[in-house]
Amino acid sequence: MSMQTVSLNKAYGGTQGVYRHASHQTRTDMTFSVYVPPHTAGTKLPVVWYLSGLTCTHANVTEKGEFRSACAELGLIFVAPDTSPRGEGVPGDPANAYDFGLGAGFYVDATQEPFARNYRMWSYVTEELPKLVAESFPVDTNRQSILGHSMGGHGALTVALRHPGRYRAASAFAPIVAPSQVPWGIKALGGYLGSDRQTWRKHDAVALIEDGARLPDLLVDYGDADQFLTEQLRPELLQGACEKAKIPLTLRRQPGYDHSYYFISTFMGDHLRWHAARLKG
């Protein structure tokens, strides 16, 4: 697979790059960013995957996430994909809403028309992009972890729960933990996967845990001033599922913080240090 370099910038002694490639999964061009920290030539480095939330592209966390200092210190590669296919002919929400279609792929492979042709974000982030990144950057594929925000927190948790041998750690900022039970998720899963709610369970972290999926531990932060907390995020559902399954969950309620990148950037360093301890242990 070939890719085009969109931009390269030096940061904290490493390199922040933005890249574009033709995706076989989405049948569109896809853009993603990769930060490679300073390192000795020939060294393979652990990689942290970051999945973004509704309306975002690769650029939101790349420009606002404040991860590079910690990644340089800890020796972590940081990869940020887009959240959906884009381009001419890619269908969006019929009413141009922000929570479905463009910028809202929900990290599933759609089965419903007209979305099935392009909206294959599950296969993109779990198969195609990891292969491209492993071929193109100094990644140690035996040391991978994943985190995300909101819709991307949903994606990170479900990807980790369904690939327990691949990711050594998983964490999330303000994740949608039970999309089958909240308006954002019901709209997205119904629109992409159809009306059979049984097929939704493999894309619902709480349902996956109820059905037997396990992780060694989890770190989740949310702000108690998050405007989406009670209707869309519902962290108490994840807490209950983890307690019942005996999954160690560190669930941190951050007073006064909202859903924005001010919140994410404040606690990004904590998450990356938590990941680094598991990636290097």
Side-chain angles (χ1 to χ4, degrees):
M1 289 184 283
S2 62
M3 67 180 189
Q4 170 192 352
T5 300
V6 177
S7 64
L8 286 175
N9 297 95
K10 187 169 183 177
Y12 294 95
T15 302
Q16 178 63 65
V18 176
Y19 307 91
R20 183 180 298 117
H21 74 113
S23 168
H24 299 298
Q25 289 292 345
T26 68
R27 304 187 189 190
T28 66
D29 285 349
M30 296 293 289
T31 304
F32 63 100
S33 76
V34 181
Y35 177 71
V36 179
H39 64 285
T40 305
T43 304
K44 295 286 189 179
L45 302 172
V47 58
V48 177
W49 295 87
Y50 178 89
L51 303 185
S52 294
L54 290 167
T55 76
C56 290
T57 70
H58 71 282
N60 297 74
V61 70
T62 305
E63 296 171 1
K64 303 176 185 177
E66 299 184 22
F67 56 85
R68 279 172 288 270
S69 176
C71 285
E73 172 194 340
L74 299 166
L76 302 174
I77 292 175
F78 190 97
V79 183
D82 202 348
T83 57
S84 79
R86 302 177 193 271
E88 186 177 350
V90 177
D93 185 274
N96 294 317
Y98 73 94
D99 56 357
F100 187 79
L102 301 177
F106 260 82
Y107 305 101
V108 304
D109 285 347
T111 59
Q112 303 301 297
E113 297 302 335
F115 306 102
R117 173 180 170 84
N118 304 114
Y119 283 81
R120 296 188 52 80
M121 292 303 296
W122 178 268
S123 292
Y124 179 72
V125 300
T126 65
E127 298 173 16
E128 184 176 17
L129 188 58
K131 182 179 179 183
L132 177 60
V133 167
E135 291 173 350
S136 307
F137 300 93
V139 167
D140 181 351
T141 57
N142 292 316
R143 293 187 292 162
Q144 301 188 67
S145 70
I146 191 165
L147 74 157
H149 169 234
S150 193
M151 177 185 73
H154 139 75
L157 295 179
T158 56
V159 167
L161 284 163
R162 288 176 58 187
H163 296 85
R166 181 186 299 185
Y167 303 97
R168 293 196 186 182
S171 73
F173 300 103
I176 305 168
V177 302
S180 301
Q181 301 184 53
V182 301
W184 277 343
I186 291 168
K187 179 178 179 178
L189 297 181
Y192 292 132
L193 303 177
S195 59
D196 181 1
R197 288 181 173 242
Q198 192 62 32
T199 67
W200 300 6
R201 295 186 69 81
K202 64 181 181 179
H203 291 291
D204 181 310
V206 167
L208 282 165
I209 292 169
E210 290 174 348
D211 292 344
R214 296 291 182 265
L215 287 172
D217 56 359
L218 286 171
L219 170 63
V220 172
D221 275 307
Y222 68 93
D224 68 2
D226 191 315
Q227 64 269 43
F228 303 113
L229 184 61
T230 57
E231 184 180 28
Q232 305 284 9
L233 307 182
R234 305 196 59 190
E236 73 279 1
L237 296 178
L238 179 66
Q239 184 174 33
C242 286
E243 286 175 356
K244 188 171 182 180
K246 296 181 169 56
I247 297 173
L249 168 66
T250 302
L251 182 63
R252 306 194 304 186
R253 174 181 175 271
Q254 304 294 358
Y257 284 90
D258 57 20
H259 201 67
S260 72
Y261 268 89
Y262 295 108
F263 158 62
I264 297 165
S265 62
T266 300
F267 300 102
M268 179 66 82
D270 285 358
H271 280 244
L272 291 173
R273 283 185 284 274
W274 188 87
H275 282 256
R278 287 150 180 78
L279 288 166
K280 297 184 177 184

